[in-house]
Amino acid sequence: LSFIWYIHLLIKDYLVIATKTNNDQLILDIKKILSSIKTEEIKDYPNIHFLGTLPVVNVLHYEMYALANVNPRPYTLDLDKLSIPSKTLEYLASGALTISVKNTKLQKYFDEDAIWAKSGSPEDLYVCLEKALSLSKKERKEIADRAKEKALEIFSLDSVNIKVSEFLTLFESKVN
């Protein structure tokens, strides 16, 4: 239920901002459970596209060429303390600007390389969407390129594999 609520908030925020430009499009990749949103909420808006569930290669393509990828996740202190949002990491590595609700762990690495919302509230997301639209294409690309480079350097499979191998080697040396 909360996931559907956040999608509704994202659509509402987008509709407010979309009145400022004619070319921006909101592309939604959501599971079947949200099919009612397509027919009831967005049918009168030609610049909102509900695509259903897409193959991963298509999703990555849309992420790479998006003006911004938005992760309107809920925020709680417990969630912030106990999780690292994998979707935000995926967006940071996409090569496009990332907008996400704050996450203390990720902000240590990417504070200036994404636009961070204080919460998932419509007001906070609106501020972030406005900021993204106010940046020039060059500024968005510079931010996105820094984020991608760091994400791949710190969190790629190769990088994590090296860290795990080093940990296991250290662990083995302490045990023996």
Side-chain angles (χ1 to χ4, degrees):
L1 184 60
S2 66
F3 180 69
I4 294 172
W5 183 73
Y6 279 96
I7 294 299
H8 279 281
L9 294 179
L10 179 60
I11 291 170
K12 287 178 184 178
D13 287 348
Y14 172 77
L15 292 177
V16 171
I17 290 179
T19 60
K20 294 184 177 186
T21 111
N22 295 327
N23 296 326
D24 294 327
Q25 298 188 19
L26 178 65
I27 297 174
L28 302 174
D29 173 24
I30 324 171
K31 304 285 184 223
K32 292 178 187 175
I33 194 170
L34 300 176
S35 62
S36 63
I37 289 177
K38 179 185 183 210
T39 56
E40 296 170 18
E41 295 285 327
I42 63 176
K43 67 181 180 184
D44 296 327
Y45 300 95
N47 54 342
I48 298 180
H49 305 280
F50 179 87
L51 302 177
T53 303
L54 296 173
V56 173
V57 69
N58 295 51
V59 172
L60 295 174
H61 174 81
Y62 280 115
E63 289 174 5
M64 188 184 327
Y65 293 104
L67 181 134
N69 292 302
V70 182
N71 190 6
R73 60 194 310 262
Y75 176 83
T76 66
L77 288 175
D78 286 339
L79 191 60
D80 184 57
K81 188 188 309 184
L82 300 173
S83 73
I84 294 178
S86 60
K87 185 55 69 177
T88 302
L89 275 174
E90 180 180 318
Y91 289 168
L92 288 163
S94 72
L97 184 64
T98 300
I99 298 172
S100 183
V101 174
K102 68 181 179 177
N103 177 273
T104 306
K105 291 174 188 79
L106 289 181
Q107 283 181 271
K108 278 195 245 179
Y109 299 103
F110 301 100
D111 192 45
E112 300 296 320
D113 307 316
I115 298 175
W116 299 100
K118 295 175 190 171
S119 72
S121 74
E123 296 80 16
D124 287 343
L125 291 172
Y126 177 82
V127 167
C128 292
L129 290 168
E130 273 197 321
K131 182 174 181 179
L133 289 173
S134 73
L135 296 171
S136 69
K137 187 175 182 177
K138 180 182 178 194
E139 291 169 316
R140 285 193 303 270
K141 181 162 176 30
E142 288 171 354
I143 293 169
D145 286 348
R146 281 195 318 264
K148 181 177 181 176
E149 183 179 328
K150 286 181 189 176
L152 295 176
E153 179 182 318
I154 299 167
F155 295 104
S156 71
L157 287 177
D158 288 340
S159 175
V160 172
N161 185 34
I162 290 168
K163 291 173 188 169
V164 169
S165 293
E166 289 171 353
F167 169 77
L168 292 175
T169 301
L170 179 64
F171 181 74
E172 184 179 46
S173 71
K174 299 288 182 185
V175 171
N176 293 331

